[in-house]
Amino acid sequence: MIASATSGQPRWPEFLDPVESMSRAELDAHQAAALGAMGHYAFERSPLIRQTWAAAGITPRDIRSTADFVALAPFIDKDSVRAFRDAHDDPAGGMGHYGPGEIVSVGTTSGTTGDPTPLPNGRRSPSEESFARDLWHLGLRPGGYHAHIMFTFRGGHRRRSLQELGIAEIVFSFDPREMPRLCEASRRYRPTTMCIMPNPLLMALEAHFERSGEDPVDTFKSYRGAIFGGEPLSARLNKVAQSWGLEIYENTSLGDVCGATECTARAGMHAYEDLAFIECIEPGGTAPVRDGEIGELVVTTLVDRFTPLVRYRSGDLVTLDRSPCACGRSHVRFKVLGRASDQIVIDGRSVLPREVMGLVESHDESRNGLFQIIRPAHAMDVLRLRIGYDPARCAVAPAMLRDRLRGHLGEAIGVAVEVELVVEGELLKLGPPHKIPRVTTQ
């Protein structure tokens, strides 16, 4: 912190950590050293990594450079962790053995695409560091207020970094019924930032303002940004939030290693390369793809001694961009296109849930974008959809709405479509409370 010569007020640094603007050459050198250290540590402390590397016939002594790591280190994925957990009755999934007092909290992944994966944490997790940097980037400073909506399965693991910075948190449960209290606290304390704000809570806020007549622009006038996560951001709800003066920035998990958030330049999500080594490979294969091409995100932690994920296939389809960013950060950016497991082939055409969402929410009766793709097989002749609608907004017979949705989606996507209509409340009951499974087999 530097005192301003004119006002006497603190003049805070642009970035929370100078590493955010480190040169590419410095990042590459840092990663080469960190990969070697993490390889040795994971091999010694993680039974899953040792088992996987032994099966591939390599040891840490074989890894002398980043090129060696990419050429030799075997991949793991979420199924590897689950299989080790089940075979050895190990709740950590073979990630490590811990001494008394080392682990202070345990979270999990959401479990939307399978059994939740345990995430042990020490006193300061990589996710805390990435979130603190992202919130600082949005304008949060010591002495400010942060509206923290506890995101079901990971919320508490991000709190210590903010407390250490002198940030006052206002904590809310992840519950649509909390939205009136969020609005009241926003007007009383005037927070700078908010997380996590997903589609279901944006829907609840929209309904609250329609019911109460409160002014959303006044409610949110102090916010510099709200971090969104859990699933793809609804384009319609994003426009609604912008009409309130609330800027939404998307966040995602960086392969369960830490988080990654869209920057103010709106050019993708920054992956902090001092925390993780990033690769992008052919979906279903192992060969690397060039920056800008669609591939599967592979992540290796460089700092996490409690969950040392090494060459972890995330299942996320992304594109990478290492060009300079207008926000000033030098770390690679990526855009998430969807999950590889959610990709569906309809009559030879690839379809992802993100594409369907915008079309569903363009109809007033289904404006909340609640739908599921019914996929009994990877390749099908017809796109089968279960779409949630609000009967209070439906001025026509449900059969007419179904036919209208079927015609619009079929024309826009260019495939045959079948639509099953259900009351949207039924879809909200499915899956984890922050998101519904977008692809199901039945």
Side-chain angles (χ1 to χ4, degrees), residues 225-253:
I227 292 180
F228 174 97
E231 63 176 349
L233 174 61
S234 158
R236 186 192 72 83
L237 288 173
N238 189 27
K239 289 180 181 178
V240 170
Q242 288 177 341
S243 74
W244 301 337
L246 188 63
E247 289 293 325
I248 301 289
Y249 296 91
E250 289 196 70
N251 168 273
T252 190
S253 169

Side-chain angles (χ1 to χ4, degrees), residues 243 260 298 394:
S243 74
V298 176
C394 194

